[in-house]
Amino acid sequence: MTDSPKPSAGAVILTPQQSASAATVRTRSQQQLEALLKGMFDRLQDIVYEWADGLPEAEQKPFLEVAQTARRQRGDIETFFSRALAASFSALQPLTASGGGPRAIDFSTLSLVRTEDMDVTVTVDSLVARARLKYAAPLGLLRRRYAHVLPKTEVSEGNMPLDPVCIATAFKDAISPLEIDVQQKIILLRAFQQQVLDYLGGLLEEANEVFISAGVLPDLKVAVASDPAKKPKPAVPKPGEKPAEPARVANTEEIFSFLQGMLGQAGAGVPGGPVAGGQYHGGQYVGGGGIGALPAAAVGGSVAAVPLAPQHISATAVVQSVETPDLVTKLSNIQQFQPRAPLAENDKSPSVEEVRTSIRDNLRSDDDTVEAIKRGDEDVINLISMLFDFILDDDDLPTAMKALIGRLQIPLLKVAIIDKSFFNAESHPARRLLNALAKAGIGWSSRSQGSDVLYTRIEGVVTRILTDFSDDLSLFDELLADFTAFYEQQQKREETVDKRTRETEEGRARAELARAMVQQTLNRRMAGKQLPPVAVRLLQEAWRNVLYINCLKEGTESENWRQAVKVVDAVIWSVLPQPGPEWQARLLSLAPKLVNSLKKGLAGVNYDSLSTDNLLRELASVHAGYGRGETTRLVSVVEARPMDTAPVAGQVAVGEMARAESRDASSVVLPEAETVAPVQENALPEDSEFIAIVNRLNVGSWIEFIDGDKVDRHKLVARIRSVDKLIFANRRGVKVGEMSGMKLAIDLSLGRARLVEDSQLIDRALESMIGSLRTIGAKTPNLQGASA
């Protein structure tokens, strides 16, 4: 009887509980993942309906169809997913004497990777990268604990069953038999991300806890990610929430300080004094003097067009000042007659001149009495008139939005008269509400009027103010809170759609770049050579998929890419015979290794097993012939011809080589490498101001495109600098176009496009007024001191 072998120094000795912990993790994790998938299918219809909500009917169709298809085949998908998970766990077992070494590849299960399915691969890569980044800490700890309980197994990201790549790949393979298009597969993958991968954190934490309870590396327990709500943490912005900005003093405070300076020089208001332009009766001011010491003619605009003094004043009338409460009452009476029906029924919106005329006409003026608005209240009215002159002349606000906001002149007049802080307090609820309405409407299109939820909500806010606002400013607090909550929800939905569009376009651009790089690499190495047809087909039809995946996933600086390119060079070297026995001897040594590398690489990208076997068999036949000193048929490999070049006899494209009538061709034409960033004709010089403007554009910027009488506003949702591509979408997040940065710069220079300013509307209007008042004050005699 022999003694049992003693463990070597440093060997890991596991207790029965530790050895069994991996099985416990497997059971619990698989149950939870299966439950999450069931939950996803339970909610799938609601999820896709939510995503499709608001989209045009034609664009809703893929969402609705994929929900129906997935529901019909739900059982098959869940069964496949469960089996794939079980296979992942089974594959992660310690190596034994009989089971050591790599497992045999079952070529019968491999399928041909089609070009259009690469978008699915890109999407899976994106989901995996996001999940790995989100759960980096618990994943790293779990790998270490798996490696501890399975010391003879190499545990990596690619083979740990609870790594996002294993889970996402299992689901991708489960839905691959569905008869749906690539876009619909991506919809399912996004739902899987939302309902399964986004809940992976708790599952990973529990798996770590199982190992810890079994005594597997318990000292790492403190590093396991736990519920952040249980730990004190500094005040930081929530995800998606902008950091709080420090309060800043509004420049608009200068308006009233400037106005006070002018009022200080207004003297007693005697006719002919510094308030030239004002009307007086019986030595009393009755209006029409402009703003402070600035005459109406100097201020211009609606202030000059419609003075607030009565047009006809009786010589016997006594001037009676309108007290502020009485003025607010008069304005409320005027407000009752402002249009409040939906624009679709009544598109009337009063101009600033019409509002001022209404105010003037409501002032009493008869033989006995002439009513005059107090100078301070008139200054406020004139400032509000200037404010709305700017707003209604602002090209950045859509016409319909101007019409709606224009209906708020009387309510805003009352707000400013009741509360003078309206002008110098950025936090004033009425100012914030008006800013919010304008910002929300910046990308609105008139085509959506009547059916657009956002437009309907804005119209409802305006109507509510016209109907309910008398003098209680708390109404603006209520409306602001309600609209802000609604708009934030709308923004989150738009950001989700924008993000999905951005990820799709970035993935597509990466795919285009990878395809171009692969074809350029093959063309450089193959063009101009005489090669056996099998070598051309092997590299161009099969191995290009290996190059593509490596380029797409890891880039051209990676070791896997370099090794894949070395295989290309090795294949070409192996079919270009050289004189002397040394080359034959080297080929005899290299050929088996080369065939093994080809087989392994093609299996890694799921290339069709039958095609792989046939190609490698033909290549081996060529190698064997060279070893016996035989020759083989060669074809000339040439680069793509220009489109207008006449066809050459005996020359075929690579894709036609398999056709029987093309097998005797003497030359083969390689595909042209895609040009992913075409040179723009009539390009602007590099130092052009319009190129600088485009270079500073951020995602989320709005651009207005002008084509004759047609004007559209599109939002920049993705900027792909690697291929100089800008992706635009409408406010619903639906892609509407793409162009190069140079094309946009040219359109800006020609007036076919312009940037839409989306900063705070009221702030822009007030800052414009500051500049106007300062300029007028500097040019008006006796006012330089007031403007200092």
Side-chain angles (χ1 to χ4, degrees):
M1 182 175 178
T2 59
D3 295 334
S4 301
K6 296 180 180 180
S8 60
V12 177
I13 302 176
L14 302 174
T15 66
Q17 185 182 9
Q18 291 173 336
S19 299
S21 59
T24 304
V25 169
R26 168 180 177 164
T27 302
R28 292 188 184 180
S29 300
Q30 188 163 348
Q31 289 174 348
Q32 291 184 49
L33 287 170
E34 290 170 357
L36 287 172
L37 184 64
K38 290 181 183 296
M40 185 201 86
F41 280 118
D42 290 341
R43 290 205 62 241
L44 183 60
Q45 187 164 328
D46 293 337
I47 293 170
V48 297
Y49 278 12
E50 181 180 346
W51 289 347
D53 181 35
L55 295 178
E57 186 174 347
E59 295 174 14
Q60 292 180 0
K61 187 176 179 181
F63 291 86
L64 306 183
E65 288 180 348
V66 75
Q68 296 171 358
T69 303
R71 184 172 64 250
R72 287 195 302 268
Q73 302 191 39
R74 170 178 177 173
D76 293 339
I77 297 172
E78 291 179 350
T79 299
F80 190 104
F81 181 73
S82 179
R83 289 176 179 173
L85 289 178
S88 296
F89 280 104
S90 297
L92 193 64
Q93 297 294 337
L95 301 181
T96 63
S98 60
R103 291 177 294 153
I105 300 174
D106 182 5
F107 284 95
S108 64
T109 64
L110 302 180
S111 60
L112 181 65
V113 177
R114 297 173 300 172
T115 302
E116 58 267 30
D117 287 341
M118 294 304 178
D119 285 340
V120 174
T121 300
V122 171
T123 301
V124 172
D125 289 344
S126 174
L127 306 187
V128 170
R130 170 178 168 175
R132 280 178 172 171
L133 181 63
K134 185 175 182 180
Y135 306 121
L139 280 169
L141 296 172
L142 195 57
R143 277 194 298 273
R144 292 181 63 182
R145 291 191 168 107
Y146 258 120
H148 184 79
V149 298
L150 303 174
K152 296 183 179 181
T153 303
E154 182 180 351
V155 182
S156 65
E157 287 184 342
N159 70 349
M160 189 180 74
L162 295 183
D163 188 272
V165 71
C166 295
I167 299 171
T169 301
F171 182 73
K172 182 197 76 170
D173 293 342
I175 64 174
S176 61
L178 298 182
E179 294 183 358
I180 55 177
D181 60 29
V182 171
Q183 179 188 358
Q184 292 173 319
K185 288 182 180 178
I186 291 175
I187 291 173
L188 285 177
L189 285 166
R190 293 297 178 196
F192 184 77
Q193 174 189 17
Q194 178 178 308
Q195 297 297 312
V196 179
L197 292 183
D198 282 356
Y199 289 91
L200 199 56
L203 188 151
L204 295 173
E205 183 172 352
E206 182 174 338
N208 274 299
E209 289 294 342
V210 169
F211 281 129
I212 291 170
S213 300
V216 178
L217 302 181
D219 55 311
L220 295 179
K221 185 174 181 178
V222 293
V224 176
S226 59
D227 185 357
K230 298 176 183 177
K231 298 180 179 181
K233 58 181 180 180
V236 295
K238 298 178 181 178
E241 182 179 71
K242 293 183 178 179
E245 296 182 358
R248 65 183 181 89
V249 179
N251 290 338
T252 51
E253 290 182 356
E254 300 178 19
I255 292 181
F256 257 62
S257 64
F258 177 74
L259 178 58
Q260 289 167 355
M262 291 188 292
L263 290 175
Q265 293 209 1
V270 180
V275 287
Q279 292 194 33
Y280 291 83
H281 179 73
Q284 298 296 316
Y285 177 79
V286 292
I291 300 178
L294 295 177
V299 175
S302 59
V303 175
V306 185
L308 293 180
Q311 291 179 295
H312 306 288
I313 302 176
S314 171
T316 60
V318 176
V319 177
Q320 180 178 327
S321 295
V322 179
E323 297 300 321
T324 297
D326 295 333
L327 176 60
V328 172
T329 300
K330 288 180 180 291
L331 293 174
S332 294
N333 293 333
I334 297 172
Q335 181 177 317
Q336 298 302 314
F337 297 96
Q338 297 296 294
R340 61 188 67 184
L343 285 183
E345 301 174 10
N346 177 9
D347 62 358
K348 180 173 174 53
S349 182
S351 66
V352 181
E353 288 82 358
E354 289 172 334
V355 169
R356 292 177 64 85
T357 300
S358 297
I359 296 172
R360 183 180 64 189
D361 292 347
N362 273 268
L363 295 174
R364 180 180 175 185
S365 180
D366 53 31
D367 293 342
D368 298 325
T369 305
V370 56
E371 288 185 327
I373 298 174
K374 289 183 177 181
R375 285 292 308 279
D377 289 339
E378 184 186 1
D379 287 332
V380 171
I381 294 174
N382 290 342
L383 282 170
I384 293 292
S385 295
M386 289 185 69
L387 186 76
F388 275 91
D389 277 339
F390 175 90
I391 291 173
L392 299 182
D393 195 40
D394 185 4
D395 291 336
D396 293 324
L397 204 59
T399 302
M401 291 299 161
K402 289 182 186 179
L404 285 177
I405 291 177
R407 292 181 173 185
L408 295 178
Q409 291 181 68
I410 293 296
L412 264 292
L413 269 174
K414 294 197 299 183
V415 169
I417 289 171
I418 294 170
D419 183 3
K420 301 297 192 295
S421 70
F422 171 83
F423 288 102
N424 60 6
E426 287 184 317
S427 59
H428 196 288
R431 271 181 64 170
R432 291 174 60 197
L433 178 61
L434 203 58
N435 280 331
L437 296 178
K439 184 176 180 63
I442 206 75
W444 181 82
S445 169
S446 59
R447 300 174 188 173
S448 306
Q449 187 170 338
S451 62
D452 185 276
V453 176
L454 176 62
Y455 174 82
T456 303
R457 182 60 69 99
I458 294 174
E459 195 170 54
V461 171
V462 172
T463 302
R464 175 87 186 278
I465 293 172
L466 289 170
T467 303
D468 296 352
F469 176 59
S470 177
D471 56 8
D472 184 2
L473 297 180
S474 65
L475 175 64
F476 289 92
D477 288 297
E478 176 189 339
L479 291 174
L480 175 63
D482 181 61
F483 184 79
T484 299
F486 163 79
Y487 185 59
E488 286 178 351
Q489 184 179 13
Q490 289 283 309
Q491 285 292 95
K492 288 179 181 178
R493 183 174 300 177
E494 289 179 21
E495 287 168 4
T496 299
V497 178
D498 288 349
K499 182 180 179 181
R500 189 157 57 243
T501 301
R502 183 162 53 251
E503 290 176 346
T504 299
E505 293 300 327
E506 288 173 349
R508 185 172 289 118
R510 286 172 54 206
E512 290 176 1
L513 267 178
R515 281 193 287 268
M517 178 59 68
V518 167
Q519 198 58 57
Q520 289 172 11
T521 300
L522 291 173
N523 287 3
R524 282 197 300 267
R525 283 164 168 77
M526 297 170 65
K529 293 183 172 63
Q530 296 272 337
L531 299 174
V534 64
V536 179
R537 291 180 54 215
L538 175 64
L539 295 177
Q540 181 60 45
E541 295 178 6
W543 194 252
R544 69 187 307 273
N545 292 292
V546 179
L547 291 169
Y548 174 80
I549 293 298
N550 284 322
C551 183
L552 187 66
K553 288 186 174 181
E554 303 181 39
T556 56
E557 299 299 319
S558 68
E559 180 61 26
N560 284 340
W561 166 264
R562 285 193 287 267
Q563 290 298 327
V565 173
K566 284 182 180 179
V567 170
V568 175
D569 293 332
V571 169
I572 294 174
W573 174 88
S574 74
V575 295
L576 293 177
Q578 300 173 25
E582 292 182 1
W583 180 83
Q584 290 184 338
R586 190 177 177 192
L587 175 62
L588 185 63
S589 171
L590 173 67
K593 298 177 182 178
L594 177 58
V595 169
N596 184 59
S597 295
L598 289 166
K599 183 181 292 186
K600 182 178 178 181
L602 294 173
V605 297
N606 287 355
Y607 193 76
D608 181 67
S609 60
L610 182 60
S611 297
T612 298
D613 289 344
N614 290 337
L615 287 170
L616 295 183
R617 190 181 301 111
E618 289 184 47
L619 180 65
S621 178
V622 172
H623 290 163
Y626 285 154
R628 294 190 297 267
E630 300 172 356
T631 59
T632 188
R633 186 174 76 87
L634 305 177
V635 293
S636 299
V637 183
V638 298
E639 294 194 63
R641 305 185 304 269
M643 294 294 293
D644 56 354
T645 303
V648 177
Q651 192 172 87
V652 297
V654 168
E656 300 174 353
M657 292 182 68
R659 293 166 50 189
E661 60 270 25
S662 301
R663 289 176 183 169
D664 295 329
S666 59
S667 63
V668 60
V669 182
L670 293 170
E672 184 178 4
E674 298 177 35
T675 303
V676 293
V679 177
Q680 176 71 43
E681 295 183 4
N682 305 319
L684 298 175
E686 291 184 3
D687 59 351
S688 167
E689 62 175 301
F690 299 102
I691 291 180
I693 291 173
V694 172
N695 288 338
R696 290 195 298 269
L697 273 182
N698 294 320
V699 169
S701 300
W702 284 92
I703 309 293
E704 185 173 85
F705 294 94
I706 303 104
D707 183 8
D709 295 334
K710 181 182 177 182
V711 178
D712 285 313
R713 291 189 174 189
H714 300 151
K715 181 167 62 172
L716 179 64
V717 294
R719 171 167 217 151
I720 308 170
R721 296 185 183 274
S722 59
V723 292
D724 186 27
K725 183 181 291 185
L726 306 175
I727 308 297
F728 292 95
N730 59 21
R731 191 173 57 78
R732 298 179 186 274
V734 178
K735 179 183 174 182
V736 293
E738 62 182 56
M739 64 176 61
S740 67
M742 181 60 72
K743 174 65 167 58
L744 178 58
I746 293 173
D747 284 352
L748 290 171
S749 70
L750 298 176
R752 295 196 298 249
R754 73 176 190 87
L755 271 64
V756 178
E757 176 64 61
D758 63 351
S759 60
Q760 304 286 46
L761 175 67
I762 299 299
D763 296 356
R764 284 190 285 123
L766 291 177
E767 288 171 6
S768 175
M769 289 166 54
I770 293 171
S772 296
L773 290 173
R774 284 191 176 280
T775 301
I776 295 168
K779 293 180 179 179
T780 303
N782 302 322
L783 288 179
Q784 285 81 357
S787 62

